[in-house]
Amino acid sequence: MGKSAWCLPQMACLVVLAGGSSASSDDGMNRSLFDFSRPASSKAWVAVNDGVMGGRSQGGPAFQEGVLSFSGTLSLENSGGFSSVRHDVALDLSGYVGLVMKVKGDGRAYQLRLQTDSRYAGWPIAYSAEFATREGEWIEVEVLFKTLRAGFRGRRLSGYTFDPARISSISLMLADKQAGPFRLDVEKIEALSDSAE
């Protein structure tokens, strides 16, 4: 079957096979970063929710049947409104152009967030891109490094350049201002080679 892609403005591209099945990115060129069918990929993922700022959202990671499930309930109370899971890891992806993830979501828009040694007022900067999901459907999402935007605590920053050779953490976040339950399943995360773009 052929592969098709569709993109929303200011969002990452979704790549799916004709007929609705997930496209395979395992062409021998990409680099596997997290394969959640392997126990080692399930270590050190932690929840980071708006409770650190007084919010009441709940969410976190769970691992079952080779999948990372990021789920919980988003709350907008007490000026909250975000839930995330994060993995601190030193990565040099200077030979790659982005990340590709196989995910099954609930139709909501999530964020991929990467940190490096870039700082704003002494605090880490997040480089992020938003991606859409299709409810109940496995898809692949390609996030190109050139689409990442620098920010700090919800504020966009200019004058900062993402350096893929100095990645220090990777996060998945929900902050779509829609209160209620959510779930994002992730089967794998790979570094996207230039030839696969």
Side-chain angles (χ1 to χ4, degrees):
M1 288 187 294
K3 187 168 72 171
S4 63
W6 60 281
C7 306
L8 298 176
Q10 298 181 346
M11 283 194 180
C13 293
L14 306 186
V15 183
V16 295
L17 289 175
S21 299
S22 174
S24 173
S25 62
D26 186 11
D27 56 6
M29 303 296 292
N30 293 345
R31 172 182 165 189
S32 178
L33 301 177
F34 301 97
D35 177 349
F36 293 105
S37 65
R38 302 173 182 171
S41 290
S42 303
K43 295 179 180 178
W45 285 86
V46 298
V48 181
N49 297 317
D50 56 20
V52 298
M53 303 170 64
R56 296 180 179 174
S57 296
Q58 297 179 346
F63 302 92
Q64 53 188 353
E65 299 180 354
V67 170
L68 160 63
S69 292
F70 167 39
S71 64
T73 303
L74 200 70
S75 172
L76 306 183
E77 297 182 30
N78 280 11
S79 301
F82 76 86
S83 179
S84 70
V85 290
R86 185 181 73 199
H87 181 68
D88 292 331
V89 60
L91 292 172
D92 178 356
L93 299 183
S94 52
Y96 300 87
V97 297
L99 299 181
V100 57
M101 304 179 291
K102 185 175 180 181
V103 304
K104 181 172 69 173
D106 48 13
R108 299 175 75 162
Y110 292 80
Q111 295 179 32
L112 172 72
R113 298 164 68 89
L114 299 172
Q115 290 183 343
T116 66
D117 56 0
S118 295
R119 295 291 183 270
Y120 174 79
W123 293 89
I125 291 171
Y127 294 90
S128 64
E130 192 171 55
F131 61 93
T133 63
R134 291 180 174 179
E135 185 175 1
E137 182 177 348
W138 284 105
I139 60 175
E140 287 195 350
V141 178
E142 291 182 357
V143 179
L144 301 182
F145 293 147
K146 65 185 179 183
T147 67
L148 297 175
R149 301 175 65 181
F152 177 70
R153 294 182 180 174
R155 190 171 102 191
R156 294 295 180 190
L157 300 176
S158 60
Y160 293 88
T161 301
F162 175 72
D163 184 354
R166 307 181 72 88
I167 296 171
S168 60
S169 77
I170 179 171
S171 301
L172 297 167
M173 175 180 281
L174 179 66
D176 63 357
K177 300 181 180 179
Q178 303 292 323
F182 66 88
R183 177 168 175 165
L184 177 71
D185 291 339
V186 185
E187 185 177 282
K188 65 180 181 179
I189 302 174
E190 298 178 343
L192 183 67
S193 73
D194 187 34
S195 61
E197 184 181 353

